Amino acid sequence: MWVVEQKYTIICTFEGLIQPPVPTSRLALFWIMLALLLGINLWQASVTELIYDEAYYWYFSQQPAWGYFDHPPMMAWMIALGQLFFSGTLGVRIAGILLSTATYLLVWDMISGVKKNHYIPEFFLWMFSMTLLNAYGFLTLPDTPLLFFSALFLWSVKRLIKKPTWTYALITGTAMAAMMYSKYHAVLVIIGVVIGYWPLVRMTKAWVAVLWALLLYTPHLYWLYTHDFVSVAYHLSERPNQPYRFEAFTLGYLVNIIAQFGFTLPWVIYAWYKAPKGRFSTVLKSLVFFVLAFFFVSSFTKRIQTQWIVVIAIPTAVLVWELYLRDKKIRRPLMWSATITALVLIYARIGLVHESLLPIRYETHGNQVWTSRLQAEVGDSPVVFLDSYRNAPMYAFYQGGHSYSLNTMGYRKNQYSIDNSYERIQGKKIALIGPKSHVYWQQNKAQFSFEKAVGDTYFGTWIEEFSYYDQIKAKITQVHGDQVRLELTHQDPHALKGQQIYLSFGVLDDHKRLQRQIPWPLEPQAIPDSWNPQDTLRLQMIWPKAVSKNIPGVRVGVGSFSLPAGLQGAPQKTAEWNP
């Protein structure tokens, strides 16, 4: 920085171009407000309990890897880094808070002209009023780094279009790879930008960026390959769905758009259409409309979660503010609507800490209390939760020790399905925990109970010697009449005893949801007394008499002793055998 007559500061932007002089007081105001925002988010992160997804990603971070069942690894890396410097909730969230703060800087720098320096408080109010951009300022979820790296990507693309240098090509490629390491939805950002500026496909430096991004992303692609593309398979084919309902799917998607922008939505829509023209504005608009159109079409086949469209927040932030600086008539109504939305968000943020302020019990309420209640019952014993990849990491975060989610046939796969974490408690005495409504308690007696929340009772029982085999693969390979060919592949690292396991036959509907589950008897000695790792058994089974062959799909589960059968078999359509 250079001081001009002690009153003005010349700003060197990231691009290295010198802007006209800006009053020093204005520059100081920007940094003061950014520091204030940072301080508020640090405080909120410190006093707000984790939500379940954050606890789940914290669990990821305990096992550094190039990939995880549900998501790429950026979240785990961020949390692991933060915990090198801080403990507790702040350690989980600090990296995300810093990235969120930097996102404001990148958005600010993408807005053209120096006129913006006269509206610094208004800019922060506008940014603060965007619901998810606000929430991801202190919550650490995959969209937190996605927003930052999307902003970095757009910032670098703007400069690459104007000046295609090696530096901007490498920054663009790095941002693309980092986006993809954050969340797979990032591919929509890349496609939306290319649609908005087709000449990129003929630009040499743009292809350099693509090749650099692919090189950086290779470790994750290799991880997917070595894990049978488990993440892709789950999201594209294995994930259970539900029948289409307009109010829950398409109308729900439109409500999500309203929730993202609150009372500012009318001016957001106005800005999408009326923002100043230019190559970069066209890119931003293309990105917004492509993402909105993609998920609108998707809403006819699946429910769209609110955070899936969060990537439009960055281009929208720039488009709205570019219009704000040029169109005086929207300034007052935008600021009023942003103020109302921001006040609602402030109240909600306080309510995340103080439960009495909200009409509902949210995920940030009472986690230390219920985990303490359970710990008082089980002591230092490992805890196995029935069908809850949410409760298991939350308990481990607040109380320590080993926990595990035993995923039964009516649940879904998750990180606990692939990481062999059950090996740490194999053969040990464990406490098996589940809500009192779980089907397991219909045939098994609880030995103790505790209140997770008012009206939310959980039952527990003791298993003297935990023995479970999650890494067996089960697949029906052929059906001919009543004869069924079943393959079981033993992928656990140790030999297991055949008499310890049993099979369950699951009936699925058109949406891969479990409808019925019945025992599937094994022939005597069908499984050897000592079943060695990596051995595949080819069994001749009988199609259950109580089940029609015209059902949409099946799933085979494997259980052991009195523990429920799990998700060892993938969903299979009966059309494979009855074309």
Side-chain angles (χ1 to χ4, degrees):
M1 299 180 182
W2 296 269
V3 178
V4 180
E5 296 180 353
Q6 299 180 350
K7 295 181 180 179
Y8 293 89
T9 300
I10 297 178
I11 301 176
C12 287
T13 68
F14 302 126
E15 188 178 2
L17 301 177
I18 299 179
Q19 297 276 10
V22 176
T24 305
S25 59
R26 282 284 162 184
L27 182 63
L29 179 61
F30 180 88
W31 290 106
I32 289 172
M33 296 203 70
L34 193 66
L36 179 62
L37 176 73
L38 175 62
I40 291 172
N41 286 335
L42 288 172
W43 171 81
Q44 182 94 48
S46 301
V47 299
T48 305
E49 294 185 18
L50 294 188
I51 65 173
Y52 286 104
D53 279 354
E54 287 181 300
Y56 187 44
Y57 303 134
W58 167 82
Y59 174 68
F60 286 9
S61 74
Q62 306 306 295
Q63 308 166 76
W66 285 103
Y68 300 90
F69 180 87
D70 310 75
H71 291 288
M74 184 63 74
M75 280 302 307
W77 297 348
M78 288 170 51
I79 294 172
L81 179 62
Q83 292 193 310
L84 293 177
F85 302 97
F86 298 95
S87 60
T89 57
L90 185 58
V92 172
R93 293 166 171 159
I94 182 65
I97 292 171
L98 295 176
L99 289 186
S100 175
T101 305
T103 300
Y104 276 65
L105 276 172
L106 289 168
V107 171
W108 179 256
D109 198 60
M110 279 189 278
I111 298 168
S112 58
V114 295
K115 192 175 182 180
K116 64 184 180 182
N117 295 295
H118 298 287
Y119 300 97
I120 291 172
E122 294 87 345
F123 168 78
F124 277 89
L125 176 59
W126 154 236
M127 293 284 285
F128 191 84
S129 72
M130 283 189 279
T131 307
L132 292 183
L133 198 61
N134 186 311
Y136 297 141
F138 66 95
L139 297 177
T140 295
L141 298 165
D143 300 287
T144 307
L146 177 62
L147 284 169
F148 169 76
F149 290 115
S150 295
L152 180 62
F153 174 63
L154 292 172
W155 177 90
S156 61
V157 164
K158 180 180 182 180
R159 282 146 183 80
L160 187 67
I161 292 173
K162 185 177 181 180
K163 188 178 180 181
T165 66
W166 282 94
T167 299
Y168 292 137
L170 293 177
I171 294 174
T172 302
T174 302
M176 281 195 287
M179 283 195 300
M180 291 298 296
Y181 270 117
S182 301
K183 200 170 184 179
Y184 297 124
H185 286 147
V187 69
L188 299 178
V189 180
I190 299 170
I191 295 173
V193 166
V194 173
I195 292 174
Y197 190 66
W198 277 106
L200 281 172
V201 301
R202 299 192 300 268
M203 187 183 294
T204 302
K205 294 299 190 298
W207 283 106
V208 170
V210 171
L211 293 174
W212 177 239
L214 287 173
L215 180 63
L216 294 177
Y217 203 57
T218 298
H220 180 64
L221 294 175
Y222 180 73
W223 182 91
L224 287 172
Y225 170 75
T226 58
H227 288 77
D228 298 324
F229 294 93
V230 62
S231 304
V232 178
Y234 172 72
H235 288 295
L236 295 184
S237 63
E238 290 190 23
R239 192 170 194 164
N241 202 351
Q242 52 186 287
Y244 176 78
R245 290 183 296 124
F246 173 77
E247 64 277 10
F249 284 53
T250 305
L251 181 60
Y253 166 64
L254 299 176
V255 171
N256 288 340
I257 297 175
I258 298 173
Q260 178 130 203
F261 298 106
F263 295 101
T264 66
L265 183 62
W267 314 110
V268 166
I269 296 174
Y270 182 73
W272 286 341
Y273 288 95
K274 294 293 185 178
K277 296 181 179 180
R279 283 185 300 183
F280 189 58
S281 289
T282 301
V283 169
L284 298 179
K285 290 180 182 180
S286 169
L287 172 54
V288 169
F289 293 141
F290 172 71
V291 171
L292 290 175
F294 178 87
F295 284 116
F296 176 72
V297 174
S298 299
S299 74
F300 291 97
T301 60
K302 63 173 68 72
R303 293 187 66 172
I304 306 301
Q305 297 179 21
T306 308
Q307 69 271 18
W308 290 359
I309 59 173
V310 71
V311 291
I312 69 173
I314 301 301
T316 297
V318 177
L319 290 170
V320 168
W321 210 245
E322 291 279 9
L323 185 64
Y324 180 91
L325 297 177
R326 291 162 175 78
D327 191 343
K328 293 182 179 179
K329 68 176 179 291
I330 78 161
R331 292 178 185 173
R332 184 181 294 274
L334 177 63
M335 286 299 98
W336 273 110
S337 56
T339 299
I340 296 171
T341 305
L343 289 174
V344 172
L345 293 176
I346 290 171
Y347 183 86
R349 286 179 63 152
I350 297 173
L352 294 181
V353 182
H354 301 285
E355 182 179 351
S356 60
L357 295 179
L358 296 183
I360 60 172
R361 181 182 177 88
Y362 189 60
E363 295 180 16
T364 57
H365 300 141
N367 292 315
Q368 293 190 63
V369 173
W370 78 256
T371 57
S372 296
R373 288 174 183 163
L374 178 55
Q375 201 275 336
E377 290 282 352
V378 303
D380 295 329
S381 298
V383 179
V384 175
F385 289 88
L386 290 168
D387 295 337
S388 187
Y389 70 91
R390 293 155 59 89
N391 288 334
M394 188 69 79
Y395 179 82
F397 178 80
Y398 282 111
Q399 303 302 327
H402 294 310
S403 64
Y404 176 70
S405 174
L406 196 159
N407 306 313
T408 71
M409 294 183 72
Y411 198 47
R412 78 164 181 88
K413 289 187 175 182
N414 48 66
Q415 181 63 21
Y416 291 95
S417 303
I418 67 170
D419 64 5
N420 295 330
S421 55
Y422 66 95
E423 285 287 337
R424 296 175 299 184
I425 57 177
Q426 198 82 294
K428 297 182 179 180
K429 180 180 180 180
I430 62 98
L432 186 66
I433 308 296
K436 69 176 183 179
S437 59
H438 197 282
V439 65
Y440 179 80
W441 304 118
Q442 294 177 10
Q443 298 179 346
N444 297 273
K445 185 177 180 180
Q447 294 176 297
F448 61 90
S449 65
F450 71 97
E451 292 289 314
K452 189 168 183 283
V454 176
D456 188 12
T457 302
Y458 271 60
F459 287 165
T461 191
W462 292 101
I463 305 292
E464 292 298 326
E465 186 177 340
F466 181 74
S467 183
Y468 190 68
Y469 306 103
D470 202 27
Q471 297 304 307
I472 296 174
K473 276 193 173 181
K475 183 179 182 180
I476 295 176
T477 59
Q478 185 180 6
V479 176
H480 183 71
D482 289 335
Q483 300 298 309
V484 180
R485 180 66 62 85
L486 174 68
E487 287 189 356
L488 297 177
T489 303
H490 171 22
Q491 296 183 317
D492 281 274
H494 310 293
L496 61 85
K497 297 178 180 179
Q499 66 269 27
Q500 293 179 348
I501 72 171
Y502 67 89
L503 301 182
S504 279
F505 188 97
V507 178
L508 307 181
D509 65 10
D510 289 314
H511 303 280
K512 302 168 189 170
R513 297 177 301 181
L514 183 70
Q515 301 300 299
R516 295 175 60 195
Q517 177 181 343
I518 60 176
W520 205 12
L522 284 163
E523 292 291 332
Q525 305 303 316
I527 299 179
D529 290 338
S530 181
W531 186 8
N532 295 321
Q534 303 308 316
D535 281 357
T536 297
L537 303 180
R538 293 171 177 84
L539 308 180
Q540 198 70 32
M541 305 290 291
I542 304 297
W543 186 275
K545 293 182 179 180
V547 179
S548 167
K549 291 191 180 67
N550 295 322
I551 58 174
V554 302
R555 182 172 217 152
V556 179
V558 180
S560 57
F561 292 110
S562 62
L563 294 172
L567 298 167
Q568 289 82 356
Q572 294 183 262
K573 294 181 179 180
T574 55
E576 295 179 27
W577 319 296
N578 301 313

